[in-house]
Amino acid sequence: MNPPDQRVLPLVVRIERAAPPQRTDALEAAALAVLSLLNDERALSGEWAEPVTVWETIGIRKVVRRARGGEWRRVLDLPGITVAVRSAEVRVHPPVPLDAWPKDLSRLQVSGTDLADTAPPGEPAPGAAILWLNPSLEMSAGKAMAQAGHAAQLAWWGTDEPAREAWRADGLPVAVRVAGPRRWSALVDSGLPVVRDAGFTEIEPGSRTVVADAPWLRAGGHRPAGWGPLRNPSP
């Protein structure tokens, strides 16, 4: 049985039949959408502050759904923020109760987010936080988008105010890349923020999915591992 106050963060990716987004673009748009919500005054002290606080206290679960055509236009009428990264558009909405989604969100499909890149992604923007995906895990694009969102949130929590100001001034640049096996091994032992999945879908509970990396994060200061998606992550 779900806790009575459990909330989930809805992310909606626009996937039109004729022009689906590139996978990396969608992952980066999801990460930037989460950062945009956390940086929005409505989430800090306005009408979204209470649901965001409840959601962060219980766990930062995210669910990605897809929309096209009229579905997408209806999503735009709901409270939220739309982020565009090259070929991808993602809309993030304030957290909703797990069992009480707005109708225009609840009717959207979770499946069907198996996106691909037609060419290797380019170099990350200067000053970007880089979210490194575990090379040994196979995840749908929707699952990977949620994991990128988790990593972006851990990076946000781990950034002190002076570094946040600099990150904001640059437009909160964030990149998502798949780490090579040797790089991944070094990253998970580096002390950087690591996402450990709760295991609701696709992968085993406690799986390490993404590491958030940035020069200011390497200086330390991010929240203890007991904060975030899992209260007691696996070692």
Side-chain angles (χ1 to χ4, degrees), residues 141-220:
K143 179 70 172 181
M145 287 171 65
Q147 301 303 301
H150 293 335
Q153 189 157 4
L154 295 185
W156 180 259
W157 281 347
T159 302
D160 62 22
E161 196 54 40
R164 279 186 185 177
E165 284 298 328
W167 200 9
R168 285 188 190 103
D170 287 340
L172 298 174
V174 61
V176 180
R177 297 291 185 270
V178 178
R182 188 171 298 176
R183 183 192 294 271
W184 179 256
S185 179
L187 285 166
V188 295
D189 293 330
S190 67
L192 290 166
V194 182
V195 178
R196 294 171 173 86
D197 191 60
F200 293 118
T201 60
E202 296 192 26
I203 56 179
E204 291 296 317
S207 297
R208 300 178 184 187
T209 58
V210 193
V211 174
D213 191 8
W216 61 89
L217 294 174
R218 288 185 175 270

Side-chain angles (χ1 to χ4, degrees), residues 14-23 25 87-88 112 114-116 118:
R14 184 180 185 183
I15 303 181
E16 301 289 348
R17 291 183 187 275
Q22 298 287 296
R23 180 184 174 99
D25 293 353
S87 64
D114 296 324
L115 304 172
T118 57

